[in-house]
Amino acid sequence: MTAAENIADKGAAPAAEAAPGARFAAYLHRVRPQIDDYLARTAAACVPGTPERTAGDLGRYLYGPLARFTASGGKRTRPALALLGCEAVGGEASAAMSTAAAIEVFQSAALIHDDIADKSELRRGEPCTYVTEGTGVAINIGDLGLSDVLGYVLRDQALPADVRLSVMEKLFQMEERTIEGQALDLGWVRDRRWDISPEDYLYMASHKTAYYSAAIPLVAGAIVGGGNEAQLKALDGFGMAAGLAFQLQDDLLNLVGDAEAQGKDFRSDITEGKRTLLVVWALAHLAGAEKDELVGILEAQTADPARLARAVELIDRAGAVEHVRGYAHELVAQAKDLLCDVELNGPARETLVSMADFFVERAG
């Protein structure tokens, strides 16, 4: 039995191993309860000795909302990758739990701030934090999440000091790269930039998504597990390719996925005028009236289903849907190749390969 299976084998969901990504989906199912439990036990709180009345206010305005938002998280994919990275190099997955929690609380902070920037209304089926708490309070709640990223690892005295330092360096890199990607994404919208090339987009998405969605979780977990330089390099390259594929699949699902499964967010990328690879590819391959029409719809912030459908028609006509879907699968193939010549734990390697498939085959 692998280390992750030792962490959580109770209630594992049966999976059809033939289905793409099934092994990784089962892995997520096994480790999520332990991640949830750790997050609940280690959530940020007032320092001992805080006056009761003040502690109550801080719980209401700061610690409680962050804990609730984090508890409402989805599949726990990112923290699970920290455990998997640790296991892949022969470590005990449980040793990377503080690293996993740090990555999940970063996700919470990023989403709370993202919703403010994007003026979103719903997150995970509930009103966004800034809607319920007010913008100023929500910004501060997100700031707490950002500050707690390094705190989780710093406070984990079970990790040797040099390991804590190396992991914190990776987490700092994750934060910096993600903020860079967000700066490009927000700046392009603010300045109404439509001259974005596919290469520009890939740089932005790699920084905004791939680092924190896959590469850093895997590498940070592998550092905890004692991985060598070759293993860290392979997991980093694997995570960057698979993480970018994850983002491309997100973009595809938003436009051409299951409308019922996507709910209110279906085709919201068009409404928000997002510069996805689908959009920038289409704009690079459309001309004249069709290009102008697509830009007009993207700038209109429309939620009219007919106009959204027309935008998707134009994007598809430009060959963008086929290109992006093909490129996502190409990235997955590249990611898998990077694991071929490096020594990794056998079952964990198989789960990583399954993860790459899961990223591009998922329906939500």
Side-chain angles (χ1 to χ4, degrees):
M1 186 173 281
T2 66
E5 289 168 330
N6 280 323
I7 290 178
D9 190 46
K10 242 187 251 182
E17 287 297 327
R23 184 183 182 95
F24 183 67
Y27 183 89
L28 290 178
H29 184 84
R30 288 198 301 270
V31 301
R32 177 174 176 171
Q34 281 61 46
I35 295 170
D36 287 346
D37 177 67
Y38 187 89
L39 288 166
R41 288 188 290 105
T42 59
C46 299
V47 297
T50 302
E52 184 177 353
R53 179 181 174 88
T54 302
D57 284 344
L58 287 172
R60 177 183 173 190
Y61 302 135
L62 183 64
Y63 296 112
L66 180 62
R68 287 193 298 275
F69 186 88
T70 301
S72 73
K75 301 180 181 72
R76 304 297 191 206
T77 302
R78 294 166 183 83
L81 290 183
L83 306 184
L84 183 57
C86 184
E87 184 182 353
V89 299
E92 287 292 330
S94 57
M97 195 61 81
S98 63
T99 301
I103 290 162
E104 184 65 10
V105 81
F106 175 73
Q107 163 83 341
S108 293
L111 294 180
I112 289 169
H113 286 163
D114 272 359
D115 288 339
I116 297 169
D118 295 341
K119 300 178 182 177
S120 302
E121 295 181 3
L122 293 175
R123 171 67 66 179
R124 297 167 178 167
E126 299 290 336
C128 294
T129 302
Y130 82 94
V131 173
T132 59
E133 305 295 334
T135 300
V137 171
I139 290 171
N140 203 50
I141 292 166
D143 289 347
L144 172 64
L146 292 178
S147 70
D148 220 31
V149 171
L150 299 184
Y152 264 106
V153 177
L154 185 64
R155 294 189 293 264
D156 187 354
Q157 296 300 305
L159 296 177
D162 62 328
V163 173
R164 292 203 305 273
L165 183 61
S166 294
V167 171
M168 287 191 292
E169 183 178 2
K170 284 297 176 185
L171 293 175
F172 170 75
Q173 182 186 57
M174 172 189 75
E175 292 184 305
E176 193 171 46
R177 296 290 86 79
T178 305
I179 291 168
E180 286 178 348
Q182 178 76 331
L184 293 172
D185 198 18
L186 294 174
W188 292 340
V189 173
R190 187 198 69 182
D191 292 347
R192 298 179 66 183
R193 294 274 303 278
W194 297 108
D195 60 341
I196 309 306
S197 71
E199 291 74 24
D200 293 331
Y201 169 84
L202 293 172
Y203 183 94
M204 180 277 291
S206 293
H207 282 60
K208 183 175 177 177
T209 301
Y211 274 98
Y212 98 92
S213 290
I216 295 298
L218 287 169
V219 172
I223 290 171
V224 173
N228 60 41
E229 186 175 344
Q231 291 170 323
L232 299 182
K233 182 178 179 181
L235 289 172
D236 180 62
F238 172 87
M240 289 300 293
L244 184 53
F246 180 93
Q247 180 60 57
L248 297 183
Q249 178 68 359
D250 257 7
D251 296 344
L252 284 164
L253 289 172
N254 188 270
L255 296 197
V256 295
D258 184 328
E260 186 174 343
Q262 295 291 310
K264 188 174 180 178
D265 285 337
F266 188 57
R267 296 182 172 169
S268 61
D269 285 356
I270 300 295
T271 303
E272 295 171 17
K274 287 190 176 180
R275 278 69 170 167
T276 64
L277 184 56
L278 289 154
V279 165
V280 299
W281 178 271
L283 292 176
H285 291 81
L286 290 173
E290 288 187 330
K291 181 175 181 178
D292 292 342
E293 182 183 3
L294 179 56
V295 170
I297 296 172
L298 290 163
E299 289 191 332
Q301 298 185 330
T302 181
D304 175 33
R307 296 199 73 192
L308 297 179
R310 174 58 178 164
V312 173
E313 180 185 352
L314 290 167
I315 289 168
D316 190 31
R317 183 178 299 177
V321 172
E322 181 181 1
H323 170 75
V324 171
R325 185 173 285 128
Y327 186 51
H329 283 85
E330 182 182 324
L331 285 167
V332 164
Q334 292 173 10
K336 292 177 182 179
D337 284 346
L338 290 169
L339 300 182
C340 290
D341 298 322
V342 63
E343 182 181 352
L344 295 172
N345 170 286
R349 182 197 299 273
E350 293 174 10
T351 304
L352 285 167
V353 170
S354 176
M355 176 204 108
D357 289 330
F358 176 86
F359 276 10
V360 293
E361 300 295 342
R362 63 199 167 87

